[in-house]
Amino acid sequence: MWRNKNKPDFGTLSDLKVVSASSSLAGPFIATIMAEYGADVVWVENADAPDFTRGTPNWQCEGERRNCRDVALKLRHPMGREALLRLIEDADIFIESSKGGQFDRLGLSDEVLWERNPRLVIGHVSGFGQTGDPDYVKRPSFDAIGQAFSGYLHENENPYSPPYAVGQFASDYTTSLYTGMALLAAWHKARVTGVGDSIDATQYEYMLRTSIYSIDWFTNKKTFPTAGEQNINAGWGAYKCQDGYLFCCFNGAAVMKRGNELLGLPYGDETFPAGSSTWSIKTEAGRIFLEALEKWLSERTVADAEKEMLAHNIPVSRINTFADVEKDPHVQARGDIIEWESVKGTKIRAVAPLPKFTNHPAQVWGPCPAFGQHNEEVLGELGFTDAEIEQMYAEGALNNDPELKYSR
């Protein structure tokens, strides 16, 4: 039975064991969230090639692999495959992220995994799924592909500039959060029934689901303005002030009433009927409101406009940079930015685990592990002898970075 003896006992998932044989972001981030909630997580890397995020120019690997142990196995080698199966025997959840059918081709199908552990919950994270049109199932995918294929990217088109700006890793993070919820739901059921489940998670389907307007198209072929156009509701969007832009969200009857009062417009008459939740830009009310709002903002700085609107309880915000966020007193008061040391001793500063639990808080207790850092430790827990571990190194079934250094 494997167990990380160095992991502190904390969090809501302290009794959960997770094995993650996934790369990039969508798959690994699921395991990292669970690790921040107290789960015991083993990250399985490919012995032939460290996760490519170790070589990227940013610090993604440090932020999205914290609290995990690392073994570097070659799953095509019989001993590497056996090591994974032994990990699975004592795991609650297994996560992999590759093109559809990859683990079947490795001889590690769901049925093979369930032979070792019938209660195992399996998460397959891919661009296009495990089933469907075979030509699509085998397609490669990254975050932006999920956004483009799903319609999400078009929904965020800006017709006034280079038209398609990808939301930074929106598909990966959305996929992680949806799939994490599904995996925990399946784990809950497996604890009752003793029967595991397999979850087929795709990037494009989650992005398709993450749209309040897709239902209108599929129901009656109705479209709405894209995020880069003027929203159909007057007063919803980024509007220019003297020194920059302020994002405004005029929506709801009470907010519209206060907005009219602030802008010196009538309320409760034929043009602006009481109780209306929005002023559509297709109506006279919307056109009058939008013209008044734009004029009012053009006469003020972002800071002054934000202060005055917030005083009227209108939802607005300046558009912050990360530098603005870091020095904001509310962000500081909530402790949203924390720091720890990497395995090389570098000080890392990043967003704290979220959300904030009252009784069983999440935490970061360990840095992103080095490539193969815990090979001997984990394999020893699985019952491999020193001689077998040496054989695995010699035959390429196991690998590591002897100096515990990244390629960065």
Side-chain angles (χ1 to χ4, degrees):
M1 178 179 291
W2 55 272
R3 182 174 71 85
N4 187 353
K5 299 179 178 63
N6 297 314
K7 184 185 76 68
D9 185 14
F10 72 96
T12 53
L13 297 180
S14 58
D15 58 340
L16 181 69
K17 286 188 171 183
V18 179
V19 176
S20 172
S22 49
S23 62
S24 189
L25 181 55
F29 188 58
I30 304 168
T32 296
I33 296 172
M34 293 176 176
E36 291 175 357
Y37 294 174
D40 192 347
V41 175
V42 174
W43 172 28
V44 177
E45 282 192 82
N46 183 348
D48 291 334
D51 192 296
F52 79 89
T53 61
R54 293 192 184 278
T56 58
N58 69 334
W59 292 91
Q60 174 186 333
C61 195
E62 292 287 354
E64 313 308 7
R65 306 296 196 285
R66 55 199 189 189
N67 287 8
C68 302
R69 289 193 293 174
D70 184 282
V71 293
L73 297 172
K74 184 173 183 175
L75 299 183
R76 296 187 184 278
H77 190 286
M79 296 184 76
R81 181 175 177 274
E82 175 61 23
L84 180 68
L85 289 171
R86 290 193 199 179
L87 278 168
I88 292 306
E89 287 177 358
D90 196 37
D92 299 295
I93 290 174
F94 173 63
I95 305 164
E96 69 88 7
S97 60
S98 57
K99 287 186 286 187
Q102 179 63 34
F103 270 68
D104 290 350
R105 293 186 287 273
L106 290 171
L108 293 165
S109 66
D110 291 351
E111 289 70 28
V112 169
L113 300 182
W114 282 328
E115 285 177 6
R116 292 290 186 106
N117 182 354
R119 61 180 176 79
L120 183 69
V121 174
I122 303 165
H124 297 287
V125 180
S126 66
F128 292 90
Q130 306 299 306
T131 64
D133 187 318
D135 289 337
Y136 282 80
V137 169
K138 65 185 181 183
R139 281 190 182 189
S141 182
F142 281 102
D143 175 281
I145 302 302
Q147 295 188 44
F149 185 83
S150 65
Y152 180 86
L153 198 56
H154 182 267
E155 194 174 64
N156 288 279
E157 177 187 8
N158 184 347
Y160 310 111
S161 65
Y164 297 111
V166 176
Q168 295 282 16
F169 302 106
S171 176
D172 279 337
Y173 283 115
T174 299
T175 298
S176 294
L177 297 175
Y178 268 112
T179 307
M181 181 183 297
L183 288 167
L184 291 176
W187 176 54
H188 169 76
K189 191 69 172 180
R191 297 174 84 180
V192 176
T193 65
V195 179
D197 211 330
S198 180
I199 293 162
D200 184 1
T202 77
Q203 290 173 306
Y204 90 85
E205 287 173 327
Y206 287 141
M207 297 313 294
L208 184 59
R209 179 65 180 86
T210 309
S211 167
I212 61 171
Y213 296 138
S214 62
I215 187 173
D216 295 279
W217 171 259
F218 295 128
T219 300
N220 56 19
K221 301 301 184 284
K222 184 177 181 180
T223 61
F224 290 84
T226 68
E229 299 176 277
Q230 166 61 51
N231 192 281
I232 196 169
N233 299 329
W236 187 290
Y239 297 98
K240 188 169 177 56
C241 298
Q242 288 179 346
D243 57 349
Y245 287 84
L246 186 70
F247 205 97
C248 306
C249 293
F250 283 90
N251 194 22
V255 172
M256 302 315 298
K257 181 176 185 295
R258 292 194 294 269
N260 276 38
E261 292 171 351
L262 175 67
L263 299 175
L265 298 174
Y267 181 83
D269 61 6
E270 184 176 338
T271 303
F272 295 99
S276 298
S277 59
T278 62
W279 309 132
S280 170
I281 58 171
K282 295 183 178 181
T283 65
E284 182 183 5
R287 291 188 288 271
I288 294 172
F289 183 89
L290 187 57
E291 181 180 351
L293 175 64
E294 290 176 339
K295 181 177 185 301
W296 189 90
L297 289 171
S298 71
E299 297 169 349
R300 291 163 174 80
T301 64
V302 170
D304 288 342
E306 181 185 55
K307 182 177 179 180
E308 196 169 345
M309 284 183 158
L310 289 175
H312 282 76
N313 201 21
I314 294 169
V316 297
S317 177
R318 69 193 71 188
I319 301 172
N320 285 331
T321 64
F322 289 139
D324 297 326
V325 172
E326 186 174 27
K327 66 184 181 183
D328 187 275
H330 184 63
V331 173
Q332 293 176 358
R334 287 182 59 83
D336 289 330
I337 312 299
I338 60 171
E339 67 178 53
W340 67 93
E341 285 192 357
S342 73
V343 293
K344 293 173 63 176
T346 302
K347 184 172 74 172
I348 305 295
R349 300 187 73 244
V351 179
L354 298 171
K356 301 181 187 303
F357 294 81
T358 297
N359 295 324
H360 302 283
Q363 62 176 266
V364 174
W365 62 268
C368 169
F371 180 60
Q373 180 178 343
H374 303 98
N375 286 345
E376 287 76 9
E377 179 179 307
V378 173
L379 292 179
E381 294 168 12
L382 297 176
F384 285 87
T385 66
D386 291 344
E388 288 174 322
I389 293 173
E390 289 179 12
Q391 179 186 351
M392 291 175 73
Y393 276 119
E395 296 181 7
L398 194 64
N399 200 357
N400 70 354
D401 181 346
E403 298 181 3
L404 302 184
K405 291 181 179 178
Y406 298 112
S407 56
R408 182 184 298 110

